[in-house]
Amino acid sequence: MPQDADTAASGLNFGLSAEQEMIASTVRSFVEQEIYPHEAEVERTGHVPPELGNAIKQKCIDLGFYACNFPEEVGGAGLSHMDFTLVERELGRGSMALTHFFGRPQNILMACEGDQRDKYLLPAVRGDKMDALAMTEPDAGSDVRGMKCQARRDGGDWVINGSKHFISGAEHADFFIVFVATGEDDTPRGPKKRITCFLVDRGHPGFEVREGYNSVSHKGYKNYILTFDDCRLPDAQVLGAVDGGFDVMNEWLYATRLTVAAFCVGRARRCFDHALHYAAERKQFGQQIAKFQGISFQIADMITEIDAADWMTLSGAWRLDQGLPANREIASAKLYASEMLARVTDTTLQIFGGMGLMDDFPIERFWRDARVERIWDGTSEIQRHIISRDLFRPLGA
């Protein structure tokens, strides 16, 4: 049974267990040995060779970490929210284009029922198939209910028309988890879209996947555009309940916001290590620049912010494991960690000076990559809205 806040707080442990330390250490070593050596080439070409992606996936499977976010009864490692957040934190140190193959299928596949389990859920957990999630549209990013991609009933089938964009992982996906509008209700606050989730196979008639935009962030981790032109699907392709897409979506959003927060902490720690060692080695005016308060105080501020973001993120994961409300706490972690990463990468670049902008170092890449974290999976403004509404709603404001 979920605990109340006072009871749960009494059991709060600020240290990691030996098993959790091992999880973090194992994933960190994997990233350093299997991801770091390939990052420069992926950054240069903007592409991950299929054989490299498959090799990373197989090594992850052999390590026993593939689909570690899924319960043991379906073949996953059954990690807790806290344990999985540690995994994501360490993966955050590496290139997203490469760590994508350290497979973490979408948790919402647990909503699969009947034949869907054998066709989608279990192959995704085994690594036989890869998924991609499709929600965002040109006119429906933060405003999910503004989506125009819609499905209408036609006999016993659904017919989908419209498009999605900014779809990550589509290059390697065998199937897609797609949210579309399936109706509209009149409410006191105006029309409200009903949303349904569908499972759509690559190559299905009426469904096309094409390359999207050229982003300056996360080279090689490409985005794609999906188009639906009278794409006909049977009821068997509905994931969850018809018009119940928001229930499925909200569970997914919890996980992704924590993932972004954890990623930002991991990337910030890697960036900070560069700043720390550079400041200790770089000399100006006859001494290491670390001896100047203008630099040393920045280093102190950075590690303080990183640690704070880390604890906020782990606290959100811990609350989920305790069955406690965590919407505001997770939104706060995503907001603070993504904003923190922007400050840390910018300060690190300033410490490196002109060399920070050269591709001899990964600093300029960290700086570019950090910018998108405040946008995707809920902008900073959306997180502030979630936080403020959670505080004001009990007061009737």
Side-chain angles (χ1 to χ4, degrees):
M1 292 292 290
Q3 307 174 55
D4 61 47
D6 291 338
T7 302
S10 66
L12 180 58
N13 185 342
F14 285 94
L16 299 181
S17 68
E19 182 179 356
Q20 289 171 331
E21 292 282 7
M22 183 187 70
I23 288 172
S25 175
T26 300
V27 179
R28 187 181 311 143
S29 295
F30 185 95
V31 172
E32 291 172 350
Q33 295 169 19
E34 307 295 341
I35 302 299
Y36 285 6
H38 305 289
E39 289 181 336
E41 184 64 13
V42 170
E43 184 70 15
R44 185 184 69 81
T45 64
H47 175 68
V48 178
E51 60 274 14
L52 175 58
N54 289 332
I56 293 172
K57 182 203 287 190
Q58 188 57 54
K59 288 175 181 176
C60 178
I61 292 172
D62 294 342
L63 196 62
F65 272 92
Y66 200 89
C68 60
N69 54 323
F70 277 73
E72 292 179 297
E73 58 261 31
V74 297
L79 296 187
S80 67
H81 290 288
M82 175 72 84
D83 296 342
F84 184 62
T85 298
L86 293 173
V87 171
E88 291 288 6
R89 187 184 71 184
E90 299 309 321
L91 291 177
R93 294 173 177 267
S95 160
M96 289 192 74
L98 294 164
T99 58
H100 173 73
F101 296 94
F102 195 101
R104 291 94 74 209
Q106 303 293 338
N107 294 77
I108 55 180
L109 287 174
M110 286 301 295
C112 285
E113 296 180 348
D115 292 341
Q116 292 177 345
R117 291 172 64 86
D118 291 327
K119 187 176 181 181
Y120 299 106
L121 171 62
L122 299 180
V125 172
R126 290 194 302 265
D128 296 337
K129 289 184 177 182
M130 296 191 80
D131 61 292
L133 188 135
M135 185 182 302
T136 304
E137 299 179 10
D139 296 321
S142 297
D143 179 18
V144 177
R145 289 198 185 273
M147 64 175 56
K148 297 177 180 176
C149 186
Q150 60 181 324
R152 58 176 175 81
R153 273 293 192 185
D154 185 44
D157 294 334
W158 294 92
V159 178
I160 304 178
N161 282 284
S163 66
K164 301 287 181 181
H165 77 164
F166 292 159
I167 308 306
S168 304
E171 179 180 11
H172 313 288
D174 299 287
F175 68 94
F176 297 78
I177 303 164
V178 185
F179 290 86
V180 300
T182 46
E184 192 172 82
D185 294 322
D186 290 324
T187 73
R189 300 178 62 181
K192 181 179 179 181
K193 293 278 180 69
R194 297 196 300 272
I195 307 296
T196 301
C197 185
F198 291 87
L199 296 165
V200 186
D201 294 311
R202 178 184 287 277
H204 191 83
F207 174 51
E208 182 185 3
V209 181
R210 56 188 175 88
E211 281 202 36
Y213 317 98
N214 187 25
S215 174
V216 301
S217 294
H218 300 298
K219 296 288 187 179
Y221 188 65
K222 299 179 181 179
N223 67 86
Y224 281 73
I225 296 171
L226 314 182
T227 57
F228 300 86
D229 184 10
D230 287 339
C231 178
R232 183 176 291 271
L233 297 172
D235 277 332
Q237 298 307 113
V238 173
L239 180 62
V242 172
D243 298 334
F246 266 100
D247 293 334
V248 178
M249 187 188 304
N250 286 333
E251 186 173 341
W252 169 78
L253 285 172
Y254 267 144
T256 59
R257 287 171 185 156
L258 263 182
T259 293
V260 173
F263 171 92
C264 289
V265 172
R267 180 57 61 91
R269 290 203 184 280
R270 182 180 177 188
C271 193
F272 173 79
D273 286 342
H274 282 277
L276 182 68
H277 288 92
Y278 188 81
E281 296 167 4
R282 171 73 167 163
K283 289 186 176 180
Q284 288 284 279
F285 305 104
Q287 60 183 340
Q288 293 111 316
I289 62 174
K291 295 185 180 294
F292 298 109
Q293 287 187 347
I295 300 296
S296 63
F297 283 13
Q298 288 179 318
I299 293 291
D301 287 343
M302 280 196 287
I303 195 60
T304 300
E305 289 200 61
I306 293 170
D307 286 346
D310 202 355
W311 285 116
M312 289 177 71
T313 302
L314 295 179
S315 173
W318 177 85
R319 290 183 68 87
L320 287 181
D321 284 332
Q322 302 305 311
L324 294 170
N327 193 34
R328 173 172 62 83
E329 289 79 6
I330 290 174
S332 293
K334 198 275 184 184
L335 169 65
Y336 186 78
S338 60
E339 299 279 350
M340 173 277 296
L341 179 61
R343 291 189 291 270
V344 166
T345 55
D346 191 72
T347 301
T348 299
L349 195 152
Q350 191 71 18
I351 290 172
F352 270 73
M355 287 305 297
L357 287 167
M358 304 300 117
D359 60 12
D360 300 67
F361 295 97
I363 309 306
E364 57 86 22
R365 168 161 57 92
F366 298 157
W367 182 58
R368 283 186 286 105
D369 290 350
R371 189 59 187 88
V372 74
E373 307 303 332
R374 289 178 279 168
I375 297 173
W376 59 14
D377 295 305
T379 63
S380 290
E381 291 73 23
I382 288 295
Q383 305 312 316
R384 290 184 175 103
H385 173 75
I386 292 170
I387 296 163
S388 61
R389 293 315 306 152
D390 188 84
L391 294 170
F392 282 120
R393 193 174 291 113
L395 303 177

